[in-house]
Amino acid sequence: MRLQKNEREIIKYAQEIRKNTIISLHSAGSGHPGGALSIVEMLAVLYFYEMNVSPDKPEERMRDRFVLSKGHAAPSYYAALAERGYFEKSVLKTLRKMGSILQGHPDMKKVPGVDMSTGSLGQGISAACGMAHYAKRTGADYRVYCIIGDGEMQEGQVWEAFMSAGHFKLDNLVVLLDNNNLQIDGRVDQVMSVYPVKEKLQAFGWNVEETDGHDVKGLIETLDHARQVKGKPAFIIGKTVKGKGISFMENQAGWHGAAINEEQFKQAMKELGEECI
């Protein structure tokens, strides 16, 4: 079901997701903090306002689907699923540990609520297009949501998926771009520019809108508008900050994939309002 929580409530959920993302990454001793923290508000709005899902019925046929195409951002995805009630929050501390259901990238066979295993960049958006296309062909009225990274858009497979979705007029598909303009090697516009994104997606037949990817109100309004668009897939460019919420991580490419030591963990949790864990 769609919870449709209000803006203030969703901001609180986002804060919890951000805290638990840091806790799980610190426990793991490895992972990808930067890109996980930049999609927190997107996940909070999707799971606590937008999507028709229920942890009580994770396999319900008519549920909405979600695909995290940038699978390395799994820690925040797991934190959102735990916050929504798919599994206990205590499981988050087992991230990347032997025998844990929470691997470094999402596994649909092990994690409740995960609709697609991802990790190899470019493949998630293709799977999301396939899900949306199947729903169209069978008359199912569920919607498919997908978060992709801007560095991921350098993959050729992504553009084949964009072309397909536009051609088949998949207006049940919503793609959110985590546009923090940083990837492991530096700035996206310097490594291999994907810009201008809006004009390119419009040329592929998509309805494109832009918003602040950390502004809950803006995300809600943009997703509401996407529901009204017919005959075109929806693409939302979310302007984000890599490492959002942690001062020493923000806008730092080096935090794409780096371990959090004890001192950094304490500072991060203090900045998020938690003195002791």
Side-chain angles (χ1 to χ4, degrees), residues 74-96:
S76 56
Y77 184 18
Y78 298 151
L81 288 170
E83 194 68 33
R84 188 68 169 81
Y86 281 90
F87 50 85
E88 294 295 325
K89 291 183 183 180
S90 59
V91 179
L92 296 173
K93 290 187 177 181
T94 69
L95 175 68
R96 288 178 169 240

Side-chain angles (χ1 to χ4, degrees), residues 178-198:
D178 175 26
N179 190 195
N180 60 45
N181 197 43
L182 285 174
Q183 57 189 109
I184 192 168
D185 292 325
R187 292 172 56 91
V188 172
D189 58 0
Q190 295 176 349
V191 176
M192 179 63 70
S193 180
V194 299
Y195 306 112
V197 173
K198 183 175 183 178

Side-chain angles (χ1 to χ4, degrees), residues 91-111:
V91 179
L92 296 173
K93 290 187 177 181
T94 69
L95 175 68
R96 288 178 169 240
K97 289 181 167 57
M98 189 68 70
S100 173
I101 63 170
L102 306 183
Q103 299 182 27
H105 296 80
D107 185 340
M108 64 186 292
K109 294 184 177 180
K110 293 184 177 181
V111 186

